[in-house]
């Protein structure tokens, strides 16, 4: 019997959290016995998929700016979306896909509309007001935590609430591997800069991250805290969006590992994470039983009430209150760490839940 074929359409550049979510769904569906392919915007470098030896189809996938979308960016995205929808319909029919699964924003919108025109079922993972408005009556919309509807008690019957899917290897992180990699990184940094700090195994470790990309506010946060306390190993990860962000990185007080593909190991080594109020890494931290201080409005001023979703395992703050909140969590560490376990099982079940929705259409 031929395998059922699924096209996963992904917004973004194929590098960050959107791509990570798509890769996790891709792997889960492949393990379930489906034949999956990826589609990215025609300009996307797709580095995450390239690293995993996964090719992709190219279609137009517009971006309006997510939660920061304006009327003008929405109009421009809408014009591009028309071409993208037609391209998607053609791709779905020419390769005879049985189902389309859209990942967030423009990918979800183009995918759902293209699937509707192609006459095949569609499933959409949704986080923004625009993708929710467009996809809410097409197929099965899955509402993720960044979506405003996640905290609403009554949602339409066709919608499903879900945490974000994480890679199952997140539970197989090895703190010793992370320690080895950080020590090697510190050694190389010290060869270039004699003042560079070395990792101290006797100190607790705090990871600062805004995802695959390093945003200015996260760099400001680690710079600020490094001046306030030297009781911790401070590890910064992510690829700077702009060179000016590098001005906040002082290697004599922090370890900057840049973009890494061993986040699961790093989270197992860490005692606390300072993250943004969105994205995959917050879910990964919960699975690793890692308390989180959420720094608000890091990405273009966006705000998601994640502290109300991960109650008791997270605190949130603005930059000026960061030092106080870090010590609040560390002073009550066991209580915060215990609460993370309440979310662990639900997050690890997400892959199975998404596969079950797909099964309902195709089996």
């Amino acid at each position: 019997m031929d395998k059922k074929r699924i096209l996963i359409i992904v917004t973004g550049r194929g590098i960050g959290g959107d791509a990570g979510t798509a890769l996790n769904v891709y792997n889960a569906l492949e393990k379930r016995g489906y034949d999956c392919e990826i589609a990215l915007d025609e300009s996307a470098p797709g580095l995450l998929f390239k690293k995993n030896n996964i090719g992709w189809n190219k279609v137009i996938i517009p971006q309006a700016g997510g939660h920061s979308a304006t009327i003008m960016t929405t109009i421009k995205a809408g014009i591009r979306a028309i071409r993208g929808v037609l391209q998607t319909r053609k791709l779905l029919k020419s390769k005879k896909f049985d189902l389309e699964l859209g990942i967030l924003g423009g990918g979800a919108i183009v995918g759902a509309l293209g699937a509707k025109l192609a006459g095949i079922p569609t499933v959409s993972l949704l986080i923004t007001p625009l993708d929710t408005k467009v996809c809410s009556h097409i197929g099965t919309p899955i509402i993720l935590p960044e979506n405003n509807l996640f905290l609403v008690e009554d949602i339409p019957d066709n919608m499903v609430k879900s945490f974000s899917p994480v890679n199952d290897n997140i539970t197989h992180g090895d703190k010793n591997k992370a320690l080895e990699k950080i020590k090697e990184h510190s050694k190389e940094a010290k060869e270039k800069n004699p003042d560079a700090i070395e990792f101290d195994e006797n100190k607790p470790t705090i990871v600062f991250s805004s995802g695959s990309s390093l945003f200015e506010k996260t760099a400001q946060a680690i710079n600020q805290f490094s001046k306030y306390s030297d009781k911790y190993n401070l590890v910064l990860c992510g690829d700077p969006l702009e060179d000016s962000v590098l001005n906040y990185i002082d290697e004599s007080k922090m370890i900057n590992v840049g973009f890494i593909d061993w986040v699961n190991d790093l989270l197992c080594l860490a005692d606390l994470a300072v993250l943004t109020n969105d994205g995959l890494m917050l879910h990964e931290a919960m699975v690793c039983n890692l308390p989180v201080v959420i720094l608000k409005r890091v990405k273009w001023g966006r705000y998601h009430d994640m502290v109300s979703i991960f109650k008791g395992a997270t605190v949130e703050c603005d930059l000026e209150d960061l030092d106080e909140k870090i010590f609040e969590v560390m002073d009550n560490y066991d209580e915060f760490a215990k609460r993370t376990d309440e979310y662990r099982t639900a997050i690890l079940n997400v892959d199975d839940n998404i596969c079950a929705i797909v099964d309902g259409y195709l089996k």
Side-chain angles (χ1 to χ4, degrees):
M1 184 177 177
D2 292 338
K3 289 183 178 181
K4 296 290 187 179
R5 308 192 68 234
I6 299 172
L7 179 65
I8 301 174
I9 302 185
V10 191
T11 196
R13 299 179 297 156
I15 296 175
D18 297 347
T21 298
L23 181 61
N24 296 340
V25 173
Y26 175 97
N27 288 333
L29 291 170
E30 285 274 323
K31 289 178 183 177
R32 196 78 156 209
Y34 292 109
D35 180 12
C36 299
E37 290 189 25
I38 298 291
L40 297 173
D41 183 70
E42 55 192 8
S43 66
L47 298 181
L48 181 62
F49 299 105
K50 192 176 293 184
K51 184 176 182 62
N52 285 274
N53 297 313
I54 298 172
W56 62 88
N57 301 278
K58 295 182 179 182
V59 296
I60 293 174
I61 302 176
Q63 294 188 68
H67 288 85
S68 304
T70 64
I71 293 176
M72 184 56 66
T73 59
T74 300
I75 291 172
K76 289 181 179 179
I79 294 171
R80 292 191 74 228
I82 295 172
R83 291 176 59 206
V85 168
L86 295 176
Q87 284 182 342
T88 299
R89 175 186 177 275
K90 182 179 179 180
L91 177 61
L92 290 168
K93 292 182 76 68
S94 65
K95 287 197 171 186
K96 298 181 179 179
F97 287 102
D98 298 288
L99 180 138
E100 181 279 331
L101 195 151
I103 305 290
L104 317 177
I109 293 170
V110 165
L113 294 175
K116 188 174 179 66
L117 291 179
I120 67 170
T122 179
V123 177
S124 306
L125 275 61
L126 308 175
I127 62 171
T128 73
L130 185 58
D131 65 20
T132 305
K133 185 174 183 179
V134 174
C135 302
S136 59
H137 303 293
I138 307 174
T140 300
I142 300 177
I143 304 301
L144 299 186
E146 292 90 344
N147 195 307
N148 293 336
L149 291 177
F150 194 88
L151 289 171
V152 175
E153 289 189 14
D154 297 320
I155 61 174
D157 292 339
N158 68 317
M159 291 184 176
V160 177
K161 292 182 184 179
S162 173
F163 288 116
S164 293
V166 300
N167 194 320
D168 56 9
N169 77 357
I170 201 70
T171 61
H172 302 144
D174 187 333
K175 65 187 298 184
N176 291 321
K177 287 183 180 179
L179 188 59
E180 180 181 330
K181 289 172 182 175
I182 283 183
K183 285 186 173 181
E184 180 62 27
H185 176 88
S186 298
K187 180 181 177 181
E188 292 175 359
K190 202 162 187 67
E191 289 174 354
K192 298 176 182 177
N193 177 6
D195 295 327
I197 196 170
E198 295 185 71
F199 189 88
D200 187 343
E201 294 185 54
N202 296 313
K203 292 181 179 181
T205 297
I206 303 177
V207 171
F208 288 72
S209 176
S210 47
S212 59
S213 298
L214 175 58
F215 283 72
E216 182 180 37
K217 202 167 188 178
T218 298
Q220 288 177 324
I222 193 170
N223 180 279
Q224 172 184 301
F225 189 73
S226 71
K227 296 175 182 176
Y228 188 79
S229 174
D230 61 359
K231 292 172 57 177
Y232 307 95
N233 295 304
L234 304 182
V235 180
L236 177 65
C237 58
D239 185 32
L241 281 176
E242 300 174 351
D243 289 343
S244 60
V245 174
L246 298 173
N247 295 329
Y248 297 103
I249 299 175
D250 182 351
E251 290 186 321
S252 69
K253 295 181 179 180
M254 64 192 72
I255 298 172
N256 175 33
V257 295
F259 177 79
I260 60 173
D261 59 2
W262 42 278
V263 169
N264 57 336
D265 298 325
L266 179 59
L267 293 181
C268 287
L269 175 66
D271 297 279
L272 177 71
V274 177
L275 306 176
T276 62
N277 59 1
D278 64 349
L280 211 51
M281 203 167 177
L282 184 54
H283 288 73
E284 292 170 339
M286 294 297 102
V287 172
C288 293
N289 296 122
L290 188 63
V292 174
V293 174
I294 297 173
L295 190 59
K296 295 193 292 186
R297 306 187 192 284
V298 172
K299 300 180 179 180
W300 304 289
R302 295 191 316 219
Y303 176 75
H304 309 292
D305 189 8
M306 303 300 274
V307 74
S308 294
I309 294 170
F310 297 110
K311 291 181 179 178
T314 62
V315 297
E316 66 177 10
C317 64
D318 292 306
L319 189 59
E320 56 267 27
D321 302 316
L322 175 65
D323 307 331
E324 175 187 338
K325 291 299 181 179
I326 287 177
F327 283 113
E328 176 186 330
V329 175
M330 296 306 290
D331 288 344
N332 300 278
Y333 191 84
D334 290 344
E335 180 180 342
F336 279 94
K338 182 180 179 181
R339 293 298 297 272
T340 63
D341 197 51
E342 297 178 15
Y343 308 103
R344 176 184 172 89
T345 301
I347 293 170
L348 290 177
N349 284 338
V350 168
D351 283 349
D352 286 339
N353 295 340
I354 292 175
C355 286
I357 291 171
V358 172
D359 289 347
Y361 282 112
L362 299 182
K363 289 188 176 179

